[in-house]
Amino acid sequence: MKKVILITGASSGMGKETAKTLIQQGHIVYTVARRIEQMQDLKTLGGHPIQMDVTKERDIDNVVNTIISEHGKIDVLWNNAGFGLYGSVEDIPLDEARKQMEVNVFGMAAMTQKVVPYMRKANAGTIINTSSMGGKMYFPMGAWYHASKHAVEGLSDCLRLELKPFNIKVVVLEPGFIATEFGAVLLDNFSKIPKESAYKNMMDKIAKGTADAAKGNGSSKPSVISDAIVKIVNSHNPKTRYKVGKFSVLMPWMRIYLGDKLFDKIVMSQM
Ligand code: NDP
């Protein structure tokens, strides 16, 4: 069945790849991100790109009002926009940390607040929230990113229960390493950290690990994510969580079953 789908963070990476697939399958796909020029290819394919920053309420209102006036409903909201801020808790300026939470957590909440009233009225809908394997485990230097994704996990669990009486499904996507612009954006953010940082060695290791993950077999193709999203979009009864891509199952499993101290030891042996 043809669905009206709204995807945030579709100017690159897994959002863009999935938008292409869903458009080709005949769905009505609205894609949003700040870099509208990066979504022209989606327009050519038959998608509906709109410029939007998830931290700007006026932008969100514009997008939701446009879709409702054109189609009267939103069947699927995929809250996917996000980025990774890495650096020690001591070094990261709190304003940068707030921006991380604004995009990864409050942006998702703001989108949800604007879309849910229409889904409730329709007594139907699916909300997919992109968390991460990093919402279940952690690396040093990733405090704010991991805090944001742990928050997405908790927020989504509560939301799932709140929306159950209205027949709205809430699904958490937990990607592992996926080859997207994520690594480049994360490395870009290293410039926000003081050059004389006491954590320089660890940061260098993280930078190398991030660059290595982007190479060869270090990460999965974004198509593994689009396969999962297609499954969720077409399911009457989706699972509550989808772990997809390299290390998405192994890492959280290690964290739970090995316990914190052994997991810490394994992670720190790589630093
Ligand atoms: P990309 O960097 O390729 O894509 C991120 C998308 O988010 C872009 O389209 C970007 O668009 C958008 N975005 C960022 N900030 C904003 C904002 N303020 N308003 C609107 N859109 C925004 O990375 P991925 O595709 O990998 O990331 C998608 C999601 O997956 C993120 O939530 C990320 O945390 C998560 N994830 C990624 C993993 C990976 O290994 N790649 C692993 C686990 C989770 P623009 O800059 O044009 O606004």
Side-chain angles (χ1 to χ4, degrees):
M1 203 182 76
K2 198 180 197 175
K3 294 195 171 165
V4 180
I5 300 169
L6 170 56
I7 303 175
T8 71
S11 61
S12 68
M14 52 183 90
K16 183 180 233 186
E17 175 81 11
T18 306
K20 284 183 190 164
T21 307
L22 292 169
I23 294 165
Q24 278 155 357
Q25 291 184 349
H27 296 289
I28 298 161
V29 183
Y30 284 82
T31 57
V32 298
R34 291 165 303 175
R35 291 170 299 168
I36 183 82
E37 70 286 356
Q38 296 282 339
M39 298 189 286
Q40 284 315 304
D41 51 345
L42 299 176
K43 188 171 187 173
T44 309
L45 283 175
H48 305 269
I50 307 177
Q51 186 165 39
M52 196 203 84
D53 185 325
V54 289
T55 66
K56 297 200 171 131
E57 189 174 0
R58 201 185 289 174
D59 283 9
I60 300 176
D61 280 335
N62 171 48
V63 167
V64 173
N65 292 340
T66 302
I67 304 175
I68 294 301
S69 72
E70 289 173 3
H71 299 283
K73 63 170 184 169
I74 297 172
D75 296 310
V76 179
L77 165 65
W78 179 18
N79 284 311
N80 171 66
F83 71 98
L85 174 68
Y86 260 62
S88 70
V89 174
E90 184 181 339
D91 284 339
I92 291 280
L94 287 183
D95 277 349
E96 295 300 329
R98 284 189 189 99
K99 273 187 213 154
Q100 172 80 108
M101 301 306 268
E102 270 308 320
V103 174
N104 289 11
V105 183
F106 289 101
M108 174 176 285
M111 292 299 303
T112 302
Q113 286 190 338
K114 299 289 181 183
V115 170
V116 160
Y118 298 102
M119 289 186 168
R120 265 197 303 104
K121 229 177 267 170
N123 197 42
T126 302
I127 298 174
I128 307 164
N129 287 341
T130 302
S131 173
S132 166
M133 67 178 175
K136 290 283 177 60
M137 42 71 70
Y138 48 86
F139 292 120
M141 306 292 114
W144 289 110
Y145 180 66
H146 291 287
S148 76
K149 292 301 186 179
H150 277 69
V152 167
E153 295 277 336
L155 184 149
S156 303
D157 283 331
C158 296
L159 188 67
R160 184 176 68 249
L161 300 182
E162 290 170 17
L163 296 183
K164 206 174 168 57
F166 306 107
N167 195 34
I168 302 167
K169 318 263 183 313
V170 177
V171 177
V172 182
L173 179 72
E174 294 171 342
F177 290 132
I178 313 290
T180 66
E181 288 183 10
F182 181 84
V185 174
L186 190 145
L187 292 174
D188 237 26
N189 279 322
F190 275 31
S191 60
K192 290 166 183 151
I193 292 149
K195 296 270 174 299
E196 67 285 3
S197 170
Y199 306 86
K200 188 173 179 316
N201 280 349
M202 246 192 246
M203 288 299 288
D204 288 346
K205 292 269 167 54
I206 295 281
K208 186 175 178 316
T210 304
D212 288 349
K215 285 187 217 143
N217 286 330
S219 44
S220 301
K221 292 188 189 132
S223 59
V224 298
I225 298 292
S226 57
D227 291 347
I229 297 291
V230 165
K231 218 183 268 174
I232 298 165
V233 164
N234 291 314
S235 171
H236 290 297
N237 188 19
K239 295 192 293 183
T240 53
R241 284 185 161 71
Y242 289 74
K243 296 179 193 300
V244 188
K246 215 137 207 167
F247 300 117
S248 62
V249 174
L250 180 67
M251 289 283 201
W253 182 90
M254 280 168 58
R255 195 261 157 111
I256 292 169
Y257 291 102
L258 301 183
D260 292 345
K261 290 206 170 166
L262 192 47
F263 184 76
D264 287 359
K265 215 178 240 178
I266 293 167
V267 171
M268 290 308 277
S269 71
Q270 305 301 308
M271 292 296 132

